[in-house]
Amino acid sequence: MYKWILPSLSEILAQNQSSLAECSPAKAERQWRVSLAATEHLLLNTLASDSVDATQGLVLAAPAPLFSQPKLTQSLQTVSFTAKPFNPLALMPFQMPDAIAPVNEEMAPHESVLSLLPADPLGAEQFCLVFTDKFSLVLVLATHKNGKKTFSFSFEPEVVQQAWRSLGARVMLANPEFFARLDTLVQQYSPVAPDCRIMIQFSQLLLQELAEVEEAGDKEDKPCSMPNAQCSMPNAQNPDVELLQAFAHEVRTPLTTIRTMTRLLLKRRDLDGSVINRLKIIDHECTEQIDRMELLFKAAELETTASAKSPKTQLTPMSLDQVLQQSIPRWEQAAHRRNLTLNVVLPQQLPTVVSNPMMLDQVLTGLIENFTRSLPAGSHIQVQVIPAGDQLKLQLSPQFGCKDSSKAAIPATPPIRKALGQLLMFQPETGTISLNIAATKHLFQAIGGKLIVRQRPHYGEVLTIFLPLEVSNKHQFGAKA
């Protein structure tokens, strides 16, 4: 019996991802639509606006062209793959063996349509491969025999290249000449690891699209036609946690590659001092974004657990002194980059607390990073660690500008925040997307702690973290007077 040997695109992505969960058709299709919308906006933002007539990229899609914006249709070469041709006489140049139409060797200026063989499993998939000089990306929506669907995407250059090799093999079997021309175009935009700024921009666009979908779902869900009916649309009212997890994974992968290559370059001894400084900046930015994606992933992971109230990580007695020695320089650096000052007040003796060492460092650093982003330049931050019964209290409080007793204090204006689902928030003033307060509290709860947020006049937002002390330390904790 004939067996199709070329892998489908969903199989390629499944082989390169740790997990790929099947879900309902509606949920997977929503993920597909949201990601396509974010990709379209990303292309509009990254393509050169002064060369619209020049070809700036290639899009391979199925089962039809996916982008309709004039700027994209004029700037991108589009090739569509379809298992059900709309007009057999117009197909070019990949024809089925029994096709009645002659092969058209001329490509349309910006769009071509290629037909797939009936037995090809690719016919059950919707996909989009994007090649530009800024980034490459593959998105796939696959329909399985059991009726379930899966959505996946990847910015990883090797995964995109594998997807192209699978598509290219299909074209080469039917028309080697056209494959040669298409392969030349693909190689012109050879997949490379994207700049971290591209990944951040895509994250913002993706999450904004998710928020718009949820808002639209909420509005559609409010009316009930029957008096006793219970309106319920959990998929519309809850964020797409699986998509957030997939996105966090795909951002971390290329950034980790960039950071690894950067650190290898830093080991060389023949580099100019200015080059070394720039490489250190790249390393720092990659590490910062990798840590942010790690927190997003862990927050999303907590939302998928059965019990949301109990800690989900292993808690052990740990030295807080060691964590703070590693963390404080990063906190000071984060404040300095935003023209802020930071002062940390520690007791004479730091106790042993019960938490998760790795997660505590990440969650505290992420919290302070977001805290510094919400303050105006020139502000001062005080971090104070003090005993509080059988707990340790770590408090972050801001002070705006310099103190002048002759002038009336001006009330602090809280930052503007827009909710993006149940996990994230967006600050329009800074363009920052981060975990919201509820998700951050959940993270602290998972590592045995507690976060309290208070808005105080003239002081702004004050954050207080409580961590449990180890039993043997509860009555031996001394502090400075």
Side-chain angles (χ1 to χ4, degrees):
M1 183 177 178
Y2 175 77
K3 182 179 179 181
W4 191 272
I5 59 174
L6 292 175
S8 66
L9 301 195
S10 62
E11 291 172 340
I12 291 173
L13 267 71
Q15 292 170 1
N16 288 277
Q17 294 182 341
S18 57
S19 62
L20 193 63
E22 294 182 350
C23 57
S24 67
K27 186 173 184 179
E29 287 170 2
R30 187 172 67 255
Q31 295 174 350
W32 163 257
R33 291 194 303 270
V34 166
S35 298
L36 278 181
T39 302
E40 184 174 50
H41 287 300
L42 183 64
L43 285 168
L44 290 170
N45 292 344
T46 56
L47 293 181
S49 57
D50 56 350
S51 54
V52 176
D53 295 333
T55 300
Q56 301 183 54
L58 171 67
V59 176
L60 309 178
L66 300 170
F67 305 126
S68 58
Q69 290 283 347
K71 179 181 176 180
L72 299 185
T73 57
Q74 295 172 19
S75 302
L76 300 172
Q77 173 71 52
T78 301
V79 180
S80 301
F81 293 76
T82 178
K84 298 179 180 180
F86 301 106
N87 180 6
L89 297 177
L91 293 178
M92 57 183 180
F94 188 12
Q95 295 284 351
M96 294 184 292
D98 57 349
I100 60 173
V103 175
N104 185 345
E105 294 293 341
E106 296 297 326
M107 289 183 62
H110 289 284
E111 183 177 331
S112 303
V113 181
L114 310 177
S115 64
L116 299 170
L117 294 171
D120 195 337
L122 209 58
E125 297 183 354
Q126 298 180 60
F127 61 83
C128 177
L129 268 76
V130 178
F131 299 89
T132 71
D133 59 354
K134 298 287 195 308
F135 69 93
S136 55
L137 169 66
V138 55
L139 306 98
V140 183
L141 175 65
T143 303
H144 303 279
K145 293 181 180 179
N146 60 3
K148 297 290 185 179
K149 292 190 177 185
T150 54
F151 169 73
S152 53
F153 70 98
S154 180
F155 281 90
E156 184 67 22
E158 179 57 32
V159 177
V160 177
Q161 192 64 41
Q162 289 180 30
W164 158 241
R165 286 197 291 265
S166 180
L167 281 178
R170 290 165 163 86
V171 181
M172 184 171 60
L173 288 173
N175 194 315
E177 292 183 5
F178 179 68
F179 166 77
R181 297 199 297 271
L182 195 57
D183 186 58
T184 299
L185 190 57
V186 170
Q187 297 309 318
Q188 182 179 341
Y189 306 102
S190 181
V192 294
D195 187 289
C196 61
R197 289 171 294 184
I198 295 288
M199 307 297 293
I200 296 170
Q201 188 175 359
F202 183 76
S203 72
Q204 294 173 340
L205 293 169
L206 179 65
L207 297 171
Q208 286 173 15
E209 292 293 334
L210 273 173
E212 290 179 7
V213 168
E214 289 170 10
E215 289 174 3
D218 289 341
K219 291 177 182 178
E220 293 174 1
D221 188 41
K222 287 181 181 178
C224 279
S225 57
M226 297 182 64
N228 297 324
Q230 293 183 349
C231 292
S232 177
M233 287 184 66
N235 287 338
Q237 294 179 5
N238 294 321
D240 219 324
V241 174
E242 291 178 2
L243 185 57
L244 180 58
Q245 287 179 314
F247 167 73
H249 170 78
E250 290 304 326
V251 171
R252 285 182 301 170
T253 302
L255 288 181
T256 301
T257 302
I258 294 171
R259 185 175 64 176
T260 300
M261 298 301 295
T262 300
R263 291 179 176 179
L264 288 174
L265 287 172
L266 283 170
K267 292 181 179 180
R268 295 179 54 175
R269 298 182 178 180
D270 58 343
L271 297 178
D272 182 75
S274 61
V275 174
I276 292 176
N277 289 335
R278 291 189 179 97
L279 289 174
K280 288 181 177 179
I281 292 173
I282 294 172
D283 178 84
H284 173 79
E285 291 294 333
C286 286
T287 299
E288 184 177 289
Q289 297 307 322
I290 289 169
D291 290 343
R292 288 184 70 232
M293 291 303 107
E294 182 72 19
L295 283 179
L296 291 182
F297 186 87
K298 287 178 179 176
E301 191 176 39
L302 286 175
E303 293 300 320
T304 64
T305 56
S307 174
K309 293 185 178 180
S310 58
K312 307 301 182 303
T313 58
Q314 185 176 359
L315 306 181
T316 59
M318 53 169 286
S319 170
L320 185 62
D321 183 43
Q322 184 176 357
V323 171
L324 292 180
Q325 285 182 4
Q326 297 174 354
S327 301
I328 290 175
R330 293 200 299 270
W331 301 352
E332 292 174 339
Q333 192 174 19
H336 179 72
R337 287 201 309 272
R338 294 174 177 82
N339 194 25
L340 308 172
T341 58
L342 182 141
N343 181 41
V344 181
V345 180
L346 299 178
Q348 294 177 343
Q349 179 183 356
L350 282 168
T352 300
V353 297
V354 179
S355 187
N356 180 287
M358 183 174 296
M359 278 194 67
L360 177 61
D361 181 25
Q362 289 182 337
V363 175
L364 281 176
T365 299
L367 182 69
I368 291 182
E369 177 71 24
N370 292 333
F371 192 68
T372 60
R373 290 175 184 270
S374 65
L375 299 177
S379 301
H380 175 75
I381 303 171
Q382 179 164 294
V383 181
Q384 188 174 19
V385 180
I386 56 177
D390 59 354
Q391 299 179 99
L392 179 68
K393 182 169 76 170
L394 189 152
Q395 190 170 77
L396 284 75
S397 55
Q399 296 174 0
F400 302 99
C402 59
K403 296 181 179 179
D404 188 345
S405 58
S406 64
K407 296 181 180 180
I410 301 175
T413 303
I416 300 172
R417 296 188 177 109
K418 179 180 179 182
L420 295 179
Q422 72 183 70
L423 291 178
L424 304 168
M425 61 183 180
F426 173 65
Q427 283 186 233
E429 298 171 339
T430 61
T432 302
I433 290 179
S434 59
L435 290 173
N436 61 24
I437 296 300
T440 305
K441 286 183 176 181
H442 196 180
L443 278 175
F444 274 103
Q445 187 178 10
I447 59 175
K450 182 179 181 180
L451 170 66
I452 297 176
V453 181
R454 290 191 176 94
Q455 188 71 35
R456 295 180 179 175
H458 313 303
Y459 284 93
E461 206 168 56
V462 177
L463 308 183
T464 306
I465 300 105
F466 291 94
L467 295 171
L469 298 177
E470 187 187 16
V471 176
S472 60
N473 278 248
K474 290 184 179 180
H475 303 292
Q476 301 176 6
F477 183 34
K480 289 183 180 179

